[in-house]
Structures are given as C-alpha cells and as structure tokens.
Amino acid sequence: MRALSTLLVLAALPAAMAVKSQDFKTCSQAGFCRRGRALSARAAENPAWRSPYSIDASSLALSPDQASFTAAVKSSIYPEVNFGLDVRIHDDGVVRVRMDEVGGLHKRYNEAASWALLEEPKISDTIQWTVAKDSVRAKYGPKHEVEVVVAFEPLKVSLLRNGKEQVLLNGRGLLHMEHYRTKESVASSKQGIAPPEEGLDTDDSQVVLEQAHPRTAWFEGDTEDGWWEETFGSWTDPKPRGPESLSLDIDFPHHGHVYGIPQHATRLSLPTTTGENAHYSDPYRLYNADVFEYLADSTMSLYGSIPFMQAHSAESTVGIFNAVGSETWIDVGRPTPKSTTTHWISETGILDVFLLPGPTPADVFAQYTRLTGTPALPPLWSLGYHQCRWNYISSEDVRSVQKRFDEEDMPVDVFWLDIEYAEEHKYFMWDHTLFPDPVEMIKDVEAIERKMVVIVDPHLKRTNDYPVYKEATELDVVVKQKDGKTDYEGWCWSGSSAWVDFFNPKSWDWWKGLFKVDGPSYGWHWTESTVNTYIWNDMNEPSIFNGPEISMPRENIHYGGWEHRDLHNINGMLFHNLTSQAVMERTNPPKRPFVLTRSFYAGSQRFGAMWTGDNLGTWEHMRVGVKMVLANNIGGFSFAGSDVGGFFGNPEPEMLVRWYAVGAFSPFFRAHAHIDTKRREPYLLDDPYKTIIRDILRLRYSMLPVWYTAFREASVTGLPVLRPHYIAMSKDEAGFAIDDQYFVGSSGLLVKPVTHKSIKEETVYLPEDQVYYDYFSHHAYRGASKGKNVTVPADLHQIPLLIRGGSIVPTRERPRRSSPLMKRDPFTLRVALDNDGNARGELYLDDGETYSHRDGNFIWREFVAEKPAKKSKGVRISSRNLAAQKPAEAVDHVSFAKYDSGNDFAKSVAGVRVEKVVVLGLPAKPSSVSVEGGNELQWSYTPGVAASEKKEGTASVLVIKDPKLSIAGDWDILVQV
C-alpha cells in the first residue's frame, strides 16, 4: 500500500520530474529585470546621461572617532523622496556602502547582511575622511595607496589604488532604488502635467522633465511595467508593495576577468551577457531554484546564490560582496579586453555593498571570509568516499552494500539514505517495513568506524500523526500565506506539506531538540538514531512542486512580516545552519557536524558541504561540474562536489571511471544516482574498470592528509581548497581563464581531470619556469617563464597529476576500509625538489572529529628540504614545529599566544612514524643518508634527470626506507652527495 501511495504522489507531480527551461523565468519575463535592462539601454543610448541621485552636502555627518559618515541622498526626479547613505571603512580596509529609503511607505528588507556576516565588522578608528566641495575622500594603506572617493553630484563611489580606479559604483548612472508608492499617488501625479517644450537640447529636456514629472520617462520609462502585478505561467504575483527593485552598476575599469557569483553552469571566468558579441543573451540569475536536469552551459539560476564577485588583472585583484537576499540578475560586459562592467538588478532590498580592495587574491579571500566566515574545518572522515543512491531500499540492502565494499577491498566512509527510508516521507520517521531495525543497522555500519547520512528535507507532511509537523504548528513556526495568518500549504515529496520558518527564533531550539538521540529536548526527538548519524538537507531552495518556478509564492510571509521575495536566497542557508547546530549539539562536548546542503548563500561555508545538484551522466556535465566546484571555491564555499556518475542516466564504464577521478580530486567526493538508474556501485563493474576505480579510491585515501591540511588553511585564511591558476599564479595572464586544471591547496599538486571520451593523453599548462613531476611515473616536465603546454599520458588508468617542484607531499599509503582506521598509520613524504634543490610542505593533524583543536590539541608540522651548504649537491630534510612558530595562525577561531608541544593529541601520535621518504630530482647518487646525530639509513637510488637540469625525462629517485622518525617530532635527515 505504501509503495502505491508513493507512486500516486509521483504521478501527480509531473512538473517536478521533468523541469524544462520554460518553467523558469528569463529576464524578459521578470518585470523588475526588464525595467533594469531598459534603464541600462536608455543610458547607453544617451551620451548626456546623468544619474539623478546626489548627496546633500549640508547633511554630511562625519563620525568623530571612526572612519564612517552618513548623508542624505536626493533624487532629482523624486525630490520629495528621501534616502540615506552610510559609508564606513573597516579595520582591514574593506569599504561598506549602504543606502536605504528614509520614511517610506514600507521598510525595505535590510537583514541580508545580518544573516551572512560572521559578526558586525569593526570600523577603523585611524582612517580619516577629508571633505571637499564636491566629494568626501579617505586615503589609507601602508603607503596611502588606497583611496575611496564619494562624489556628491551625481552620487558615485570610487575605490582607487595608486590613483587607478579599481571599482566604481554608479559610474554609469544606473543606480535606481525604486521608492515605495501607491497606485493612487502615481495616478494623481500624472494629472495636469504639461509635456516639455519642443526644441530643447538633451540636458534642458531632462531639467524640464525632472521638475515637472515625478515619474519621468527619461529615467524610469513610460510604462508601469510589472509594477503592481505580473503573471508567469498560471501564477500571478500580486506585488502588494508595488515597484521596489534596486539597480546598481558596479564596474572594474582595469580588470578584464571576473569570477564568482555561483551557482551557474558556466566557465570560471564569467562570459559576457551584454555588449557586442555577448556570449549569453540573458544576465546571470541568482534565485535559488530546483532546476531538474539543468543545462550544462547557461546563466540560469541553480540551487544556491552567493552575490560575491572577484575581478582580476595582472596588477591587482578586488572583490565586491552585494548583501542582498532577493532575486538578482547580473549583466556582465567587457568594453575592452582589460575592463569589465557589471549591472546588478535586484527585486527588493537596500543597497549594502562591500568593496574589497585586495590587492592580491589571498587578500580578497581574507577580506571576504572575515565578513562571512571561513569554511568550517570538516570532520576528517567526511573527506573520504561517500556512497549514495535514491534509494538503498532496506536495512539489508545497506548491509549488503557495505559487505560488497569490504569483499572488494574498496574503502568507503559513509553510506547514505535518501527519502524512501521515511514512512510517507515523514522525515525522521523510519519505514519499519523496510527498515525494521534502523539503530542496529546504523551500528553495523559504525562497527567499521563508518558513518550514515540520512536525508531530512524542509517540507513537513501535514498530518497530525507526524509529531514534527504537529509541534511546528503548535509553536506557530511555519511559513504563512500572504495574509500573514494562515499556514501556507504546498506540495512536495510528502504530499500536502508545510515549511518551517527558520527566520522565526522560536523555531531554533525546537529544531535542534529534534535531533537529540537521548537527553532533554523540547518534545519529540529522534531516538531511532545515533550520534554518528549525519544529515543531508535537500529541497531547501525551497522546492515546492506546485509553486511558481517550483518554489514558494513570493508574497508568502515570514517572521517579521517580510515577504518571501525579500529573503528567498537566504532561506536555504538558515535550514542548513540550524541543522548543523542541531547535529553539533547532540553531544557534550560537541562534535563537528557534517550536513550537506543543496541550497546556499554567502556564509553557508560555515555550516558544512554542498553539491551541484541534479546533474546528468554526460561528459558535458562532468566537465562543467569541475568549473562549478571551482566557482564555489571562489565563492568562499570550498567543501563542494558534484554527483559522481551523474544523478540521471547510466554512464558507460569509461565515463564512470573518469568521473571517479574527478570526484577523487574534489573536496566533497560522493557517488549518487537517481531511483530509475541501474545500480552502479563501483564493485559491480567488470575489470579493468573495477580495479581502476579501486585504485582511485585508494589514491584519495592516501591523500587525506593533503586534503585535511588544505582545509585547515582554508579554515584559517579563507583561501580555497581548490585553486585555479589566477589564484596560484596571479601575474600569469595566460592562466586567468583556465578552469579545467587546478592546484589542491598549497600542496603543490596540480591536477587536470580527464573529462572527454577516448582520451589517451592530455595537455597541461605549466605557468612558470619550474620543474613539475608526474606523481606516478616521476617524469620531469619543464615549464617556461611565459607559460608552456606539456603533453602527459592519460590512458583510462592514468590521472594527469603533477607535483610542482618545491613541494613536499605527506601521504598515508596503507589501504584501509575507512579513514578512522588509518589514524595510527605511518606516513610517506614525497620531496619534489625545485630548480634550486629546495622544497617545502605542511601537515596538520588533530583528532578529526571534535573541537579539541581549539584547546590546543593538534600538531602542525613544516617539512623543509634545502641545501646544507651553498654549493652542496646534497639536501637536508627537516621536520619543524610550525605550530610553535605561528601559534596565532594555527587553527580557526582561536589565536594562541603559545603552543604546547606536549598536548594530549601530540602525545597520542608520538608513536606514528614516517615510514618512507621519496626524494625526486637529486643531481647524483648520495654517498650517505643519515639522521643527523644518528645512524645511517637504508636507502635506494635510481638515477635520472635532476631538478636543476633543463631537460625532461624520468627524474632521479631516492627512496629512504623506514627512518623510524616521529611525525610529531623535530628531526633532520642529511643526504650527502
């Protein structure tokens, strides 16, 4: 009976099963986007165009002890409407520009930043503003090289470095904050207005119109286009507050590449949407949406929205964060190869823009993540391999899958359950017909130190025998219809459903209490679970099968009286945030949570991982998935990945093998598949495919120390885990648009996943005059100062993976069934000498699951290879305590004054040793290899190309066998040549 009811629900919801592009708006179908683009077109057609907004200089009020000021802003076409401007400079040089309507009919939504920001930024108390007749300005920086200029008439904000414009706000006069008005006031304003005199020139004509007409056609157009209501398909949006959009041009006059604003299936360096020979015809859309089977090359909105953009040139990098929560369209133009224009058009909200001055990519990431937070340091096990499908159908199915992985010696850390575990899709409530023993099943998985992840979607089945729904209604914490009183009802997997309003503080503790396994809670709680059961948040855009654009009506009401349109893009982040807190607080002391989200916003990186949604099992989707994961890393959200194999379809074995290699070099590594696909667990493949995937999985597990160390750096500095060339080599213009190869953290690993069919070799771009070694064959390739392409082997069993000369890569090479079983395993160090015979690397370790690292329980080591004397051909390989050298920079959210090398964790791993050291690129066979102050070590040497040579070929390889040195200790190995 249950299966039949599920089929009936699915049959009743065809739109949710086959979404097409026409189910989602284009700019021409969204009234406020049409208005914004029309405004831009009028400006472009009129050489004398001038913004109507100006600062009332007499209203300027400087803060006496901070770098901030406020001022009144007037519009020449609506002189009776008041606006307020607030400009401040933060301690780190970031400039925040806010503008809001003052005394309007309604309050504009002004809470987006409060949800995104980690905390309220500190305003500088040393930078000072200087007031001139036509502007106010401030200079700062070590050499006073940064300048902010706010021009009075027209209003324009400029950020300059060394006198060169970096960012311009309203430079083209496209700023327009549509003030609140009524139909009646608009109608009455039209009565008795005489047309302007003929024969006036452009400027005179504008003056007459500005004085005579409160809604002048030259600026706003001559129709009330979508002001009061608009329709899309069968839906009518009543627009109860009338027009309220915000238009703003943000230009980068000396930066030819812009990146960010995920999530879109497109290139990393964003192609143009406007201007001559524009690549796309529609702007990039930010409107979180459940786009089923999305296009692999499009500006369509997808599941998440991060309104953060970086602009880059060989001279500098800058960024802007536009704190807006409503639907937003962004046009990108490129007037010259060295400059970029952007036009941001949002449905509602105040102007709240942060200008990030850089000047390097690392500076911009630091500035952005000081605002919105760095990526959370994840549990170590979550960097392993995740096995998922819609759906593992029973307890025995889960046990069978685990057994097969073990029989085939394939490592895996996590098994996932999709929506069919839940009775009638009432999340938390097990279908005991199929899962009669859920806790025992989970503990069977945990017996090999693995984890379960279970889905919890935001829609609650509207039935009183479902305690979660019943409690939500009793607390009155569900989203309301437009009257603000009646609970909203929509349809999703559960059938008739309600949605918790997580903007309501009353929902927070209640939601967290649901996840308690035992102990006190606010009512019902999930006793049929364990503290090692983690959570998957899907459908949180929100996805509503019978709603407009498969989402929630915009006129729905949230806590505080805000319409859904105001905060749509933030909605999914709150669900993710509260679930993450719930998982963390299940235990005392808390454990690091793992919660996967599909929908996200700026700041979501603080709460867990994301994935790129319902992709297709095609080569095109594999390729664009790499770019999308890179874009999320640029957007500050490093813990990202795509469904390996594609959610839809039945990929051929070759494609599946290549996709596993893509996944193994993504921060989040999960295979997932639709309910209608054939089972494709890796152990089901025939050889050689099965063996190749086993090797790929083992490679990922061997590199877990690399990934974890990269996440430590991201959690402290904000630098992304995956780094495209413009970040790693910021001066090399030839690499600025490269998005099919990338570096893993600071490890020196450069990977180019194969994403085309029938490939035998790949071209890899080397951006510098440096040696790069093939990770597997040790072949030495040579770059060039102006960049160089090299050809590397890429048969099906091969991954184009290079180690940059000058790197030391720590790995754990012993195959285990899950990552926690590796915690006492020894390490291998790969020392890849650079042209000068030097190398460096890092290793970070802690317990991998709690927050004890913030109490000082961790190790952070630096490995260095350098010549023992200036003319020596040998090398000294050293292990040093990096945590003792830089205690304040060691871990996230804590600045230690001193590091205790004898902490509990360091003691626990004191016996974990280095079992092998591999040195690539020595110039000759050693005469001696020994621990300094100790005995000669066992070693072998294979002659080959030296790092210092100019030729290519297989590098020399020195293998030092089991030096029995502690991974946590200081030591030196002296290689004499």
Side-chain angles (χ1 to χ4, degrees):
M1 193 64 190
R2 183 203 161 277
L4 176 60
S5 67
T6 299
L7 288 173
L8 288 173
V9 170
L10 294 177
L13 303 169
M17 300 302 294
V19 171
K20 305 297 181 185
S21 298
Q22 60 265 28
D23 291 319
F24 299 92
K25 289 182 180 180
T26 61
C27 178
S28 64
Q29 294 168 310
F32 76 92
C33 188
R34 287 196 303 271
R35 299 196 298 271
R37 267 196 155 182
L39 173 67
S40 177
R42 288 191 293 273
E45 292 166 359
N46 185 352
W49 184 269
R50 181 183 174 89
S51 173
Y53 292 93
S54 61
I55 290 177
D56 177 359
S58 66
S59 70
L60 192 73
L62 299 180
S63 170
D65 55 0
Q66 292 181 321
S68 66
F69 73 83
T70 60
V73 173
K74 302 296 288 186
S75 167
S76 62
I77 58 173
Y78 289 109
E80 75 282 6
V81 179
N82 298 310
F83 302 93
L85 182 72
D86 181 334
V87 182
R88 52 188 66 181
I89 304 174
H90 300 166
D91 261 353
D92 62 354
V94 168
V95 182
R96 186 177 188 179
V97 181
R98 302 174 86 232
M99 186 174 116
D100 195 0
E101 184 177 352
V102 177
L105 293 176
H106 308 284
K107 186 178 180 182
R108 299 181 76 93
Y109 186 68
N110 61 358
E111 297 179 0
S114 68
W115 297 112
L117 297 185
L118 189 63
E119 58 188 5
E120 189 63 25
K122 188 175 186 301
I123 304 172
S124 171
D125 56 9
T126 59
I127 299 171
Q128 295 185 336
W129 292 99
T130 302
V131 181
K133 181 184 295 186
D134 60 352
S135 63
V136 59
R137 61 187 63 210
K139 283 191 173 184
Y140 56 95
K143 298 180 180 179
H144 293 280
E145 71 277 13
V146 181
E147 184 176 19
V148 182
V149 180
V150 182
F152 292 161
E153 188 173 1
L155 170 61
K156 183 175 78 169
V157 180
S158 307
L159 177 69
L160 302 93
R161 180 173 292 277
N162 296 320
K164 184 182 285 190
E165 290 176 329
Q166 305 288 292
V167 188
L168 295 181
L169 304 187
N170 202 34
R172 290 181 288 135
L174 304 185
L175 169 64
H176 186 30
M177 181 174 281
E178 293 181 329
H179 70 278
Y180 288 120
R181 63 200 90 180
T182 64
K183 287 183 180 180
E184 294 74 19
S185 66
V186 172
S188 63
S189 70
K190 294 179 179 179
Q191 297 175 4
I193 300 298
E197 298 178 23
E198 295 183 4
L200 295 175
D201 65 24
T202 301
D203 289 340
D204 288 340
S205 176
Q206 287 191 358
V207 168
V208 171
L209 289 174
E210 290 172 15
Q211 292 175 346
H213 204 313
R215 184 180 61 81
T216 50
W218 75 267
F219 191 72
E220 285 194 323
D222 53 9
T223 64
E224 298 172 18
D225 181 13
W227 280 21
W228 311 110
E229 74 171 27
E230 61 182 310
T231 59
F232 179 70
S234 62
W235 288 91
T236 298
D237 179 358
K239 300 286 186 71
R241 299 184 308 220
E244 54 180 324
S245 72
L246 174 66
S247 161
L248 177 66
D249 53 296
I250 305 176
D251 294 346
F252 308 96
H254 296 98
H255 297 83
H257 292 267
V258 289
Y259 313 90
I261 58 169
Q263 186 183 39
H264 301 97
T266 187
R267 289 180 251 163
L268 185 66
S269 177
L270 295 171
T272 55
T273 64
T274 188
E276 190 175 354
N277 300 318
H279 184 78
Y280 297 117
S281 58
D282 237 28
Y284 295 95
R285 189 187 190 198
L286 295 178
Y287 185 73
N288 297 354
D290 181 1
V291 184
F292 217 64
E293 301 179 327
Y294 55 84
L295 300 173
D297 182 13
S298 173
T299 60
M300 284 182 67
S301 60
L302 292 176
Y303 309 95
S305 300
I306 299 179
F308 168 50
M309 177 180 282
Q310 293 188 29
H312 183 71
S313 71
E315 286 74 41
S316 68
T317 312
V318 293
I320 67 100
F321 169 46
N322 186 2
V324 62
S326 65
E327 178 186 1
T328 298
W329 300 78
I330 305 157
D331 262 323
V332 174
R334 198 152 285 118
T336 71
K338 299 288 187 181
S339 64
T340 303
T341 62
T342 71
H343 181 200
W344 300 62
I345 311 165
S346 300
E347 185 175 16
T348 75
I350 67 168
L351 189 158
D352 195 356
V353 176
F354 299 78
L355 310 182
L356 284 55
T360 68
D363 291 325
V364 170
F365 283 112
Q367 291 154 5
Y368 175 68
T369 55
R370 272 194 290 270
L371 292 172
T372 65
T374 58
L377 181 64
L380 176 58
W381 58 264
S382 67
L383 302 181
Y385 173 62
H386 300 245
Q387 181 62 52
C388 183
R389 76 172 279 111
W390 178 24
N391 206 88
Y392 291 118
I393 60 173
S394 67
S395 298
E396 289 311 306
D397 194 8
V398 172
R399 291 183 174 103
S400 171
V401 172
Q402 170 159 266
K403 181 181 178 184
R404 288 298 307 277
F405 267 92
D406 289 341
E407 289 173 347
E408 298 291 346
D409 290 327
M410 291 182 169
V412 59
D413 262 77
V414 194
F415 296 111
W416 291 57
L417 290 177
D418 210 320
I419 59 176
E420 308 306 331
Y421 83 91
E423 181 185 39
E424 298 179 336
H425 301 141
K426 294 182 289 189
Y427 304 106
F428 304 99
M429 316 301 290
W430 294 90
D431 183 337
H432 286 112
T433 303
L434 301 174
F435 296 89
D437 57 346
V439 173
E440 289 76 11
M441 173 196 68
I442 295 169
K443 288 183 176 179
D444 285 346
V445 170
E446 294 173 1
I448 311 172
E449 298 206 44
R450 294 183 176 129
K451 310 294 187 292
M452 293 285 312
V453 168
V454 177
I455 198 167
V456 175
D457 284 351
H459 47 272
L460 305 181
K461 188 173 183 67
R462 290 167 53 93
T463 175
N464 282 328
D465 66 355
Y466 181 25
V468 180
Y469 169 72
K470 188 171 183 293
E471 291 183 3
T473 55
E474 289 171 350
L475 276 173
D476 194 26
V477 292
V478 298
V479 177
K480 306 300 182 184
Q481 295 181 27
K482 62 183 178 182
D483 63 6
K485 300 176 182 178
T486 308
D487 292 353
Y488 171 69
E489 177 185 5
W491 282 75
C492 204
W493 297 121
S494 302
S496 174
S497 302
W499 278 259
V500 176
D501 182 5
F502 288 104
F503 292 89
N504 188 335
K506 284 198 303 182
S507 70
W508 299 348
D509 286 338
W510 165 74
W511 183 256
K512 289 186 282 187
L514 296 177
F515 291 82
K516 295 283 188 183
V517 177
D518 49 37
S521 75
Y522 283 75
W524 183 92
H525 57 104
W526 202 11
T527 57
E528 288 191 307
S529 179
T530 76
V531 295
N532 286 314
T533 302
Y534 294 85
I535 304 301
W536 173 14
N537 286 163
D538 197 0
M539 313 295 283
N540 52 327
E541 293 76 26
S543 175
I544 301 175
F545 294 159
N546 64 334
E549 298 192 89
I550 326 298
S551 197
M552 187 169 280
R554 297 171 190 235
E555 68 273 19
N556 277 9
I557 300 297
H558 289 265
Y559 178 80
W562 299 114
E563 286 190 297
H564 183 73
R565 76 181 78 245
D566 296 316
L567 44 76
H568 172 86
N569 287 342
I570 307 171
N571 182 80
M573 178 176 73
L574 265 65
F575 182 51
H576 187 208
N577 179 351
L578 268 297
T579 305
S580 179
Q581 291 185 48
V583 172
M584 180 176 64
E585 293 179 14
R586 286 181 308 194
T587 59
N588 187 16
K591 289 184 176 181
R592 282 176 246 167
F594 173 82
V595 180
L596 181 74
T597 185
R598 190 170 71 176
S599 182
F600 53 87
Y601 182 69
S604 287
Q605 67 271 12
R606 305 195 299 266
F607 312 123
M610 62 74 61
W611 92 107
T612 62
D614 297 342
N615 57 350
L616 296 171
T618 65
W619 293 99
E620 292 81 6
H621 270 255
M622 188 196 306
R623 281 193 292 278
V624 80
V626 172
K627 306 173 196 299
M628 292 169 71
V629 170
L630 285 176
N632 259 77
N633 274 255
I634 300 309
F637 203 162
S638 281
F639 203 0
S642 296
D643 283 343
V644 169
F647 182 58
F648 296 103
N650 295 298
E652 60 185 320
E654 179 193 353
M655 183 192 297
L656 198 55
V657 167
R658 293 299 195 189
W659 217 317
Y660 268 89
V662 169
F665 284 92
S666 301
F668 176 56
F669 182 16
R670 182 184 75 156
H672 185 38
H674 188 271
I675 196 169
D676 292 333
T677 62
K678 297 177 183 178
R679 296 288 283 253
R680 49 169 132 110
E681 289 74 18
Y683 52 73
L684 295 175
L685 274 69
D686 295 328
D687 274 328
Y689 309 108
K690 179 168 64 176
T691 296
I692 296 172
I693 291 179
R694 180 191 295 116
D695 291 342
I696 291 170
L697 292 172
R698 289 180 173 179
L699 177 65
R700 169 65 173 220
Y701 276 74
S702 73
M703 290 186 169
L704 286 179
V706 173
W707 290 100
Y708 200 56
T709 300
F711 266 99
R712 183 220 67 86
E713 185 177 12
S715 74
V716 174
T717 68
L719 276 166
V721 170
L722 300 189
R723 300 180 191 170
H725 278 258
Y726 91 88
I727 296 174
M729 306 287 169
S730 62
K731 304 294 185 184
D732 177 30
E733 294 193 35
F736 291 172
I738 291 177
D739 55 13
D740 58 357
Q741 61 179 64
Y742 50 88
F743 292 88
V744 178
S746 298
S747 68
L749 292 174
L750 173 62
V751 63
K752 182 170 185 177
V754 177
T755 57
H756 291 82
K757 185 178 173 61
S758 303
I759 293 296
K760 300 294 183 184
E761 56 187 26
E762 269 285 9
T763 299
V764 178
Y765 175 74
L766 303 183
E768 59 186 329
D769 183 13
Q770 185 57 267
V771 60
Y772 281 72
Y773 304 89
D774 186 289
Y775 185 86
F776 307 99
S777 71
H778 304 147
H779 187 96
Y781 298 92
R782 302 286 170 179
S785 58
K786 294 184 178 180
K788 178 183 174 183
N789 289 316
V790 298
T791 301
V792 303
D795 277 323
L796 188 58
H797 68 285
Q798 296 171 309
I799 300 173
L801 176 63
L802 306 180
I803 312 176
R804 180 176 182 251
S807 307
I808 299 179
V809 181
T811 60
R812 280 175 150 158
E813 300 291 337
R814 297 191 180 184
R816 302 290 186 188
R817 290 186 288 176
S818 65
S819 63
L821 300 177
M822 304 171 68
K823 60 187 174 185
R824 297 282 180 252
D825 283 354
F827 282 83
T828 293
L829 301 180
R830 282 176 176 78
V831 180
L833 298 177
D834 66 11
N835 295 347
D836 298 321
N838 302 316
R840 184 191 176 279
E842 295 181 15
L843 173 67
Y844 173 81
L845 294 174
D846 58 28
D847 70 12
E849 60 177 356
T850 73
Y851 290 95
S852 66
H853 62 294
R854 294 182 182 174
D855 298 322
N857 288 294
F858 63 90
I859 65 168
W860 183 26
R861 307 298 304 178
E862 178 183 39
F863 306 111
V864 176
E866 55 192 354
K867 294 179 179 180
K870 189 172 183 180
K871 295 185 178 181
S872 171
K873 293 183 179 180
V875 64
R876 180 194 304 276
I877 304 168
S878 306
S879 172
R880 295 290 178 262
N881 192 338
L882 197 53
Q885 298 173 38
K886 302 179 179 181
E889 302 171 31
V891 300
D892 56 306
H893 303 294
V894 179
S895 180
F896 293 110
K898 187 178 181 181
Y899 170 73
D900 178 9
S901 300
N903 66 76
D904 290 343
F905 178 78
K907 290 177 182 176
S908 74
V909 296
V912 175
R913 73 186 196 281
V914 176
E915 69 171 348
K916 184 191 294 185
V917 180
V918 179
V919 184
L920 306 179
L922 278 174
K925 183 177 180 179
S927 59
S928 172
V929 179
S930 62
V931 177
E932 191 161 61
N935 298 328
E936 182 80 5
L937 297 173
Q938 289 189 333
W939 53 274
S940 62
Y941 178 79
T942 304
V945 172
S948 56
E949 297 182 65
K950 297 298 183 184
K951 64 181 181 181
E952 296 189 353
T954 302
S956 68
V957 181
L958 168 67
V959 178
I960 304 171
K961 302 173 184 178
D962 200 7
K964 293 184 172 63
L965 300 170
S966 171
I967 196 66
D970 290 353
W971 44 258
D972 295 87
I973 296 175
L974 187 60
V975 179
Q976 295 179 325
V977 176

